[in-house]
Amino acid sequence: MSASQSAVRSRAEAIKVSRTFDWMICFVLFFIILGGYHIHYMLTGGDWDFWTDWKDRRLWVTVAPIVSITFPAAVQSVLWWRYRLPFGAVLCVLGLLFGEWINRYFNFWGWTYFPINFCFPSQLLPGAIVLDVILLLSNSMVLTAVVGGLAYGLLFYPGNWPVIAPLHVPVEYNGMVMTLADLQGYHYVRTGTPEYIRMVEKGTLRTFGKDVAPVSAFFSGFVSILIYFLWHFFGKWFGSTAFVKST
Amino acid sequence: MKLIKDKVAKLSFVALLMTVTAAMFYTPTASAHGEKSQAAFMRMRTIHWYDLHWSKETVAVNETMTVNGKFHVFAGWPETVDKPESSFLNIGIPGPVFIRQGSWIGGKLVPRSVALELGETYEFKVLLRARRPGDWHVHSMMNVEGGGPIIGPGKWVTITGSMKSFTNPVTTLTGDTIDLETYNRENTYFWHTFWFVVGLAWVGFWIRKPVFVPRLLAVDAGKANTLITDGEKKVGMAFAAGTMALVAFLMQTTNDKYPVTTPLQAGLLRGMIPIEKHAPTISVKVDDATYRVPGRAMQMTLTITNNGDEPVRLAEFNTAGVRFLDSKVWEDDTNYPDDLLAEDGLSVSDNSAIAPGEKRTVEVTASDAAWEVYRLADLIYDPDSRFAGLLFFSKENGQREMVTVDAPLIPSFI
Ligand SMILES: [Cu+2]
């Protein structure tokens, strides 16, 4: 068998091989992205994503979109510029959420018995869908970064609100007002996460009074734009192929 | 072809491993069993727990028990540890096997971090409700910002029953009573599943026809712009418009359903009320102190002056939660954990009553295997080789007086 001989003999077979390839690449890509993205997100978003009593109107809203737009930007850049496929952001977020749910269900609940309603992950999909669609429609990195990045930041809080709002209902507890989320943090003992490391409702946005969440979301959107640019280039660099010239 | 399949199979395996690693990467601290590994000076010179009492040894799921007692914030707080200006009264249990129904310092509820003063003694109480059956070591515990967890004495408590029967009813300010154990869980599952399916539909839409090889070839051939049809763009627009409309709609319906919500509550609590201090009537000077490694015993020469108006006797030396008692003077009736109690571990060269006004120099030996078991002897290897602890003197009327000691310790290996 000579080296130049093709591995396939017919067009039908070529299509079949290419399809097998698709499934395998998708499968592998999903898990590789999952692994890398998940570790990145745990290291940067960490407690803000783990616990409901960290999911506040200021820092969670600001931090989560900024640190989570990273991998979507990079993978979008590879899938769009090399394959013209507009699902990089959604694929990443699906992988992340899949990994997070495994972690939360089996480790947080199954192993340590924290109730799921206390340690579920944040929702990132609405922003990711819009980010992908903007890339598809604009075919422009700059527009995706600016419009998509902003939308990604802005959609985060409202996208999570249906599952978070029920936990922000106030209770009176031995003479103190708490939200149900605060109470979860107090009831379900975490020896490694003392109260003083909880970073919530801190910051300099006091002048905005009650409307702090939208302001935080805008701020987060602006930073997401910058992070998008940065990681988009990481993706471009990572996705480029260089061939060694034959001699 | 076979070769490629093998390679991809191998890669998939690597990817799966990565997933498992990533997913297993983090589990919240489940064990509070670090008491022995904590540096001895941390346990001896920071927070001294005493008069501890665990209200039950066996407790059924849904039932409550308390851990209460006192803690003294040591005046000779080590330089290397941040002062307890921001501290959190915790409970050392392996995860939420109990829920913390309440915790108090000096009668004040402390769900937040508090500021503690050096040299003061505080009363504390933690109310626990049993959740998960098993045998658990329940420690008193204080987290100090910049100092880490300071774990106090632990006692084994058995929880009986079934976790399935555990409920956690809470009444909100809007008048609803909910079970915090399962509240909002189905709602969370529902919306996460919903968006996951939408995401899968989006990816599925694009991989419905051959993806990587033909598209790569087309892009490389400069025909990238022919790859996206107008129909696909319309589907994309529908996805984005639908997503944004739904998010806005859900925001509205959620606000209608939960009209009253408040931000998370946080902040430091100040003004913890310590136990009132009495002017000390006994003064103790440590003339010297040695730790005899082979005998697992600490010897101190103490000069005790009784400035009070009642005769006193030395009853107990307490350090890092280990209690050395002179059984002729004091017997423990609080059911203190065995491994931390040396009922007859304290011997005093002359422990007859010290009369008011009397000054006496005595040899005191505190010996017990606990020195080794609890790795307290390790402090002879500390950079600042000092020991510290509490001495309790008893008066004839049964009252006790506490005196702190803090002095250099010299090891002896023979
Ligand atoms: Cu223990």
Side-chain angles (χ1 to χ4, degrees), chain B residues 38 58 74-75 141 150 154 179 181 291 308-309 330 375 407:
Chain B
Q38 191 161 49
T58 305
F74 200 60
M141 182 173 174
I150 296 166
D179 180 3
E181 184 77 4
Y291 179 72
D309 50 12
W330 195 265
R375 296 191 204 158

Side-chain angles (χ1 to χ4, degrees), chain A residues 202-214:
Chain A
K202 286 181 183 170
T204 50
L205 300 172
R206 302 287 171 200
T207 44
F208 295 99
K210 263 181 70 180
D211 301 318
V212 64

Side-chain angles (χ1 to χ4, degrees), chain A residues 157-179:
Chain A
Y157 197 67
N160 277 280
W161 191 237
V163 290
I164 291 295
L167 294 165
H168 282 221
V169 173
V171 285
E172 192 242 288
Y173 202 73
N174 295 358
M176 282 175 94
V177 175
M178 291 180 163
T179 65

Side-chain angles (χ1 to χ4, degrees), chain B residues 75-95:
Chain B
W77 194 274
E79 280 299 307
T80 44
V81 180
D82 281 2
K83 302 275 180 292
E85 273 145 17
S86 178
S87 320
F88 181 63
L89 177 65
N90 213 328
I91 188 82
I93 48 175

Side-chain angles (χ1 to χ4, degrees), chain A residues 19 22 166 173 186 188 198, chain B residues 101 103 181 183 207 211 265:
Chain A
R19 205 58 184 146
D22 282 351
Y173 202 73
Y186 184 55
Y188 297 93
R198 188 163 74 121
Chain B
Q101 197 102 314
S103 53
E181 184 77 4
Y183 173 71
I207 59 175
V211 192
Q265 307 289 306

Side-chain angles (χ1 to χ4, degrees), chain B residues 32-35 92 137-139 151 154 156:
Chain B
H33 245 38
E35 71 255 35
H137 216 198
V138 179
H139 292 263
I151 304 167
W156 288 100

